[in-house]
Amino acid sequence: MPILITDPTDERLRDFVGLTDVKLRRVLEPAGGLYLAESEKVIRRALAAGHRPRALLMGERWLTDLADVVEQAEADGVPVYTGSAEVIEGITGYNLHRGALASMHRPPTRPLAEVLDGARRVLVIEDVVDHTNVGAIFRSAAALGTDAVLVTPQCADPLYRRAIRVSMGTVFQVPWTRIERWPSGIEQLREAGFTVAALALADNAITLDELAAQAPERLALVLGTEGDGLARRTLGRVDVTVTIPMAGGVDSLNVAAAGAVAAWELRVR
């Protein structure tokens, strides 16, 4: 039977405590080998991807909606905790609107060669620090046929709770990894047969339409950080710089929106 929790300070719930404390999550998740999946859909997608739960925490109604997940967790010896909305809010630090949380074992980082194997369209996220944008990029990648996503060393963690939630769990279905050397890693992409394009404003940029009209067989598109865009050292290494033609006096889009537009236009037809 699920374990009824009445004390928000119960030590068994350490994985779920203080979710509003960003510093705690950044320290605990990578070092502790865990991440948090929130909502029924996200939890199911994580499990479908083969990820293993450490513990589950949910409101009482979700014990029914996730009955099969609860049954399997208990069969595997994974604790399932439940409690009132007030107690759960005391644990997590906020109102759990989606009713269910899973503490999941963080999977090992995939080798770059494995992620790139067979891929024709790749998005590279350079130093994007906003977890909402990272999650939105992954959701667009999944929806618009991108084969893989790479994140640079300074990019926000795709397995951070907010990134997972915004992506609707698509971070579990799109192959991705962290490219350890950047921008020198561009050479690795080129050696793997990719043309590397940068999405940026530049005098020598071609339009997205022009790139799509003669799109290479394998293409990696680099998206830059929210404030300053792509680093100069990155722009100096790529094969081509591309820009999205715009109207209305607007010269740029949010990085997630720009990534979605480009992914659609450059999709393999």
Side-chain angles (χ1 to χ4, degrees):
M1 294 292 294
I3 303 165
L4 179 65
I5 296 296
T6 58
D7 180 7
T9 65
D10 193 313
E11 282 294 320
R12 293 174 295 181
L13 301 172
R14 181 175 177 271
D15 283 2
F16 304 103
V17 171
L19 301 184
T20 56
D21 185 341
V22 175
K23 291 183 179 179
L24 175 62
R25 295 258 60 83
R26 284 178 176 169
V27 170
L28 180 61
E29 290 183 8
L34 69 92
Y35 71 86
L36 295 169
E38 179 185 349
S39 84
E40 178 182 0
K41 179 177 289 187
V42 170
I43 291 171
R44 289 190 182 279
R45 282 184 169 170
L47 295 173
H51 296 196
R52 297 182 300 114
R54 292 162 48 111
L56 301 174
L57 172 65
M58 61 188 70
E60 293 181 358
R61 66 153 281 196
W62 297 95
L63 295 174
T64 300
D65 292 0
L66 285 163
D68 57 322
V69 172
V70 170
E71 181 180 1
Q72 185 61 54
E74 293 185 326
D76 294 338
V78 175
V80 179
Y81 302 106
T82 188
S84 67
E86 292 76 18
V87 170
I88 291 177
E89 184 171 352
I91 297 166
T92 63
Y94 74 103
N95 185 3
L96 188 62
H97 296 292
R98 290 175 175 81
L101 275 173
S103 168
M104 307 290 294
H105 290 278
R106 179 177 287 261
T109 302
R110 297 176 66 175
L112 179 62
E114 177 184 308
V115 171
L116 295 180
D117 185 31
R120 296 176 62 187
R121 295 291 181 266
V122 173
L123 289 179
V124 182
I125 313 177
E126 180 185 272
D127 299 354
V128 173
V129 297
D130 184 277
H131 293 95
T132 298
N133 282 334
V134 170
I137 291 169
F138 268 88
R139 189 171 181 179
S140 295
L144 301 175
T146 300
D147 300 309
V149 175
L150 305 178
V151 296
T152 65
Q154 300 305 314
C155 184
D157 184 7
L159 292 184
Y160 184 74
R161 181 177 60 87
R162 183 179 294 277
I164 294 172
R165 185 177 68 195
V166 172
S167 81
M168 294 300 293
T170 55
V171 294
F172 308 131
Q173 68 188 65
V174 179
W176 71 273
T177 194
R178 194 171 292 276
I179 188 164
E180 295 298 334
R181 297 183 295 121
W182 191 260
S184 60
I186 289 173
E187 294 303 321
Q188 292 177 271
L189 294 173
R190 198 172 282 122
E191 290 168 3
F194 285 89
T195 297
V196 183
L199 192 61
L201 297 174
D203 293 337
N204 65 340
I206 65 172
T207 68
L208 183 60
D209 313 71
E210 291 174 306
L211 180 61
Q214 298 184 0
E217 179 68 18
R218 307 187 83 186
L219 177 67
L221 182 67
V222 188
L223 307 176
T225 186
E226 298 90 341
D228 299 327
L230 290 171
R232 289 184 179 274
R233 63 185 186 277
T234 299
L235 293 173
R237 288 175 180 258
V238 298
D239 300 306
V240 61
T241 302
V242 59
T243 187
I244 300 173
M246 299 185 193
V250 177
D251 65 359
S252 64
L253 296 173
N254 165 274
V255 62
V261 170
W264 166 257
E265 187 64 25
L266 297 171
R267 71 195 187 281
V268 176
R269 292 169 171 82

